[in-house]
Amino acid sequence: MIAITELLNKFAPISLEQMSEVRLMNRTDMKFVTNLDKLSQLLAMAWQEYYVQDLGGERNTEYGTTYFDTSDFVMYRHHQYGHTNRQKIRFRTYVSSNKQFMEVKTKDNHGRTKKKRIEVDDMNLQDKEKRQFLSRHLRYDVDTLQPTLSNRFSRITLVNKGMTERLTIDSALRFHNIVNGMDKDMEKLVIVELKRNGLVYSPVLKMLRQLRIQPHGFSKYCMGSALTNPHLQVNRFKLKLIEVNKLVNNI
């Protein structure tokens, strides 16, 4: 398997400023789950059609996330029960720049996801600015929230040369359950998310089909929680957990 770094060096770079030109006003999202072997094949196929985001020479950037939920895991349970109108709150840290954002994601009954975020210095929910932000965008009482799960992963961001889509590729995923201290290493797993302008042509879809990488829903919060907390119900996620285990172990 060719090293990921070597494959990424074949891509022409795109800066963060240039990426701002990719305005996905009518965005559709698709997720795919695969493993490192298939990722190497995908990158070897994609380098002529895509730019890679380059941040000061860094092309595979480390991220960290901490998720909050209620003490009885209402946000997890809403996803587990298949509620289409649900929310998620997280703190996203860009490790190389040490920038951190508090984000609220809301998925509506039509499958559209809206994200609101503010830059923050810490995860203290007693802070006045954070409480005001959450009172506007979150349906839950701030005082019922607690940190439940954290993760670390590396992200590659590709932009097609037609500037109509972004492709994020997450790997080296590690979970830490804050409630019970359990850790889970999923470093061989790869999560690909395609964000494009409506239903315009996407070069990567043909490549994914050739590699037999199928669309596959994957919530890092829900999967990480299900993998590290044996007290949570996982009925709706059982099939996904089995599929993920096969991918990680190349079965």
Side-chain angles (χ1 to χ4, degrees):
M1 183 173 69
I2 302 175
I4 299 300
T5 302
E6 185 179 339
L7 288 164
L8 290 177
N9 286 338
K10 296 179 69 175
F11 286 75
I14 187 170
S15 68
L16 201 56
E17 292 73 25
Q18 290 171 312
M19 278 186 56
S20 66
E21 299 173 19
V22 186
R23 301 183 186 278
L24 305 179
M25 304 304 291
N26 183 30
R27 193 175 95 179
T28 59
D29 299 347
M30 295 177 70
K31 281 186 180 179
F32 304 81
V33 180
T34 185
N35 55 34
L36 289 173
D37 289 340
K38 288 287 181 72
L39 173 59
S40 294
Q41 295 176 59
L42 179 63
L43 293 175
M45 296 167 69
W47 69 273
Q48 292 183 337
E49 300 275 2
Y50 288 84
Y51 301 108
V52 64
Q53 178 181 284
D54 188 298
L55 300 174
E58 196 171 353
R59 297 185 171 196
N60 196 6
T61 310
E62 189 168 2
Y63 285 59
T65 315
T66 298
Y67 297 92
F68 280 62
D69 206 333
T70 63
S71 58
D72 54 350
F73 303 97
V74 169
M75 294 181 217
Y76 171 88
R77 290 191 287 110
H78 278 184
H79 202 139
Q80 147 73 12
Y81 296 148
H83 292 191
T84 52
N85 191 7
R86 57 181 184 260
Q87 288 191 302
K88 186 185 301 176
I89 173 175
R90 70 188 186 191
F91 287 81
R92 169 63 53 81
T93 303
Y94 299 83
V95 176
S96 60
S97 64
N98 203 32
K99 286 196 171 192
Q100 187 176 63
F101 294 86
M102 180 172 70
E103 303 177 343
V104 173
K105 295 181 74 174
T106 302
K107 189 164 188 175
D108 64 24
N109 293 326
H110 304 289
R112 291 281 179 179
T113 300
K114 294 181 180 179
K115 182 170 72 175
K116 301 290 184 181
R117 75 176 190 171
I118 56 170
E119 188 168 356
V120 296
D121 295 322
D122 55 45
M123 292 186 281
N124 177 16
L125 293 186
Q126 299 307 311
D127 176 76
K128 183 179 178 181
E129 183 184 10
K130 295 190 193 76
R131 293 178 75 91
Q132 289 176 340
F133 173 84
L134 292 174
S135 70
R136 291 194 301 271
H137 302 295
L138 190 70
R139 296 192 291 265
Y140 300 91
D141 182 349
V142 178
D143 293 323
T144 66
L145 302 177
Q146 64 175 3
T148 55
L149 185 81
S150 65
N151 67 36
R152 297 289 284 259
F153 60 93
S154 298
R155 171 167 288 183
I156 299 162
T157 301
L158 304 182
V159 177
N160 72 319
K161 292 189 174 178
M163 303 291 278
T164 58
E165 69 182 39
R166 287 196 302 269
L167 195 69
T168 58
I169 303 171
D170 297 341
S171 62
L173 183 59
R174 294 93 72 201
F175 292 110
H176 172 69
N177 194 297
I178 298 168
V179 177
N180 62 25
M182 185 179 292
D183 295 310
K184 183 67 175 178
D185 178 349
M186 303 293 287
E187 294 209 7
K188 294 182 181 178
L189 193 70
V190 175
I191 304 160
V192 179
E193 185 167 8
L194 171 62
K195 304 170 184 180
R196 58 176 169 155
N197 213 359
L199 297 176
V200 296
Y201 170 73
S202 169
V204 80
L205 285 178
K206 182 179 179 181
M207 302 173 199
L208 290 166
R209 282 194 295 269
Q210 288 176 343
L211 294 171
R212 298 182 180 178
I213 301 173
Q214 304 297 325
H216 192 296
F218 190 97
S219 162
K220 291 189 187 73
Y221 176 56
C222 290
M223 290 295 103
S225 297
L227 287 163
T228 60
N229 191 337
H231 299 294
L232 293 176
Q233 288 188 355
V234 298
N235 298 11
R236 188 167 176 262
F237 302 133
K238 277 184 178 177
L239 182 59
K240 288 183 181 180
L241 291 169
I242 292 169
E243 291 172 352
V244 164
N245 182 61
K246 287 180 178 179
L247 286 167
V248 169
N249 294 290
N250 289 329
I251 298 174

